[in-house]
Amino acid sequence: MINSSLDTAQKRSLFRDGFAVLPGAVAPARVDAARRLILEGLGRPRATTEERGGPRTVPGQSPEILGLFNDTGLREVVEEALGPVAPATGCQLATRHPATPSDRVNEAGYRDRDTPFRGWHGHLDGLWNGATRIHQDLEGPMTSEEAEAWHREPSTNGCRKTFPELGANIRSFAALVAVALSDQTAEGSGNLGVLKGAHHAIERFFQDQRDAGGPLGPDGPNWERIDRDAPNGCGLRHYPDEVRLAFSKGGQRTPDGKLWPKPTLLRLAPGDAAIVLHALPHSATRVCASEPRLMAFFRVTPLARPEPYRAVYPDALCDIWREWPGMAEVVAEERGAAGASRAERAP
């Protein structure tokens, strides 16, 4: 059983890095039950029980999967930091299989094998990602019919491009809660990669967009959604270039000169959990090992969020700690310490 709250060190990590790891958050028996359900589903014939006249079970809505958040103490940990949250009613089960670098073109518009750091191309959640599959032809652009179909709304992930009534082009929750259901303690096991510390830069960027008149997100000030210089001619910028360039240390460049920041890879054992801020760019990486990567993701929004802004909350994009009452003391301390440090360095 995990503690009922994040300890001070974990809260400081959440503030400084944008994520906090909770070792052993889920008991082995629960991990095994969830793994079995997922692997059974992967091995099940395409003809479902529903097609044969029986009831259909959606794995991400099964008690075994929802219990990873609802019945393990994880929900209580999140509530201490965020305030009351609803029980999980759905879950993203993210399975990645072993793979060699391939010619598949990713959402950034680059081939997987050309993308550094095992294919890591970070993103913020809640962004339109095209209504059809990513354009795979690097020799020519989409036809007009293909482009028309791709630009429709909603996208394959259910997101719209714009929310003009709210002045934003991005959906947002507060916390991504990840539960590892496979061994990801070594690099190359499909590790979740994050752009450590970039949440501070993302917050400042949204503030600048707001001050420039908005909207917040892609196609707002200084954030062009489509990267027409990408090899496929229509890559997606899933976080701002301004933030990308601010994290050049340790990064690599593709032959076209594009910078790819080096992600921090989370090394999670089965049953470990991580709390990741919505404002932190993140992405899975390629599985180079022999076993599939299994991960359960829960997206959490506090019940205190105003109802008109349940899905799109501009104020929380510009103030990333607005919805975290349990973090208030640590945030004040950290910001105070940072301010004192800047004052000491001033001439």
Side-chain angles (χ1 to χ4, degrees), residues 142-227:
M142 289 186 270
T143 65
S144 58
E145 292 80 8
E146 288 172 335
E148 181 182 0
W150 185 63
H151 279 286
R152 289 174 183 158
E153 301 180 67
S155 56
T156 58
N157 62 7
C159 288
R160 289 163 47 191
K161 279 185 179 179
T162 64
F163 300 89
E165 70 279 11
L166 295 171
N169 297 339
I170 178 173
R171 293 170 60 96
S172 60
F173 47 86
L176 179 70
V177 180
V179 179
L181 301 174
S182 62
D183 187 353
Q184 299 161 45
T185 54
E187 291 189 10
S189 53
N191 311 71
L192 178 65
V194 299
L195 196 53
K196 182 178 177 180
H199 56 303
H200 300 296
I202 292 290
E203 179 184 46
R204 290 192 296 270
F205 184 87
F206 281 133
Q207 292 169 354
D208 290 344
Q209 282 194 311
R210 177 190 59 194
D211 293 344
L216 309 185
D219 294 333
N222 299 315
W223 186 352
E224 187 176 353
R225 185 191 305 270
I226 308 298
D227 181 3

Side-chain angles (χ1 to χ4, degrees), residues 35 39 61 64 90 110 115-116 134 165 179 185 194 208 215 219 224 231 239 276 293 308 314 318 326 329 337:
R35 280 176 55 85
L39 295 174
Q61 297 175 342
E64 294 91 339
Y110 286 73
T115 306
I134 296 298
E165 70 279 11
V179 179
T185 54
V194 299
D208 290 344
D219 294 333
E224 187 176 353
Y239 66 105
V276 182
R293 191 286 299 263
C318 296
E329 183 175 347

Side-chain angles (χ1 to χ4, degrees), residues 33-105:
R35 280 176 55 85
R36 181 179 179 87
L37 186 70
I38 296 168
L39 295 174
E40 280 183 352
L42 292 175
R44 189 173 297 132
R46 286 184 178 275
T48 64
T49 55
E50 183 182 42
E51 292 169 339
R52 296 191 296 267
R56 180 173 180 264
T57 300
V58 180
Q61 297 175 342
S62 68
E64 294 91 339
I65 299 299
L66 298 181
L68 297 171
F69 180 78
N70 293 336
D71 305 325
T72 59
L74 266 177
R75 181 183 171 196
E76 287 75 12
V77 171
V78 170
E79 287 190 319
E80 191 276 333
L82 267 178
V85 301
T89 57
C91 170
Q92 178 194 359
L93 295 175
T95 301
R96 292 180 74 88
H97 295 279
T100 55
S102 72
D103 286 335
R104 181 187 61 82
V105 177

Side-chain angles (χ1 to χ4, degrees), residues 213-343:
L216 309 185
D219 294 333
N222 299 315
W223 186 352
E224 187 176 353
R225 185 191 305 270
I226 308 298
D227 181 3
R228 304 190 188 282
D229 294 327
N232 76 341
C234 54
L236 291 169
R237 290 185 178 91
H238 279 331
Y239 66 105
D241 281 347
E242 179 179 311
V243 175
R244 176 190 289 267
L245 295 174
F247 286 81
S248 60
K249 184 177 181 180
Q252 295 183 15
R253 290 186 183 272
T254 38
D256 62 357
K258 189 179 184 70
L259 173 72
W260 299 84
K262 182 179 181 180
T264 295
L265 302 183
L266 302 193
R267 300 189 180 205
L268 305 177
D272 289 354
I275 298 175
V276 182
L277 289 183
H278 172 271
L280 192 67
H282 61 276
S283 170
T285 52
R286 189 184 307 116
V287 179
C288 304
S290 59
E291 298 296 321
R293 191 286 299 263
L294 306 178
M295 186 79 87
F297 289 112
F298 300 91
R299 291 170 173 82
V300 183
T301 298
L303 293 174
R305 177 177 287 193
E307 189 58 38
Y309 306 107
R310 292 298 298 173
V312 182
Y313 195 13
D315 286 349
L317 295 172
C318 296
D319 178 6
I320 58 176
W321 302 110
R322 183 184 186 92
E323 300 184 284
W324 296 81
M327 286 286 294
E329 183 175 347
V330 166
V331 170
E333 290 176 357
E334 291 286 339
R335 285 178 169 169
S341 178
R342 286 194 297 270

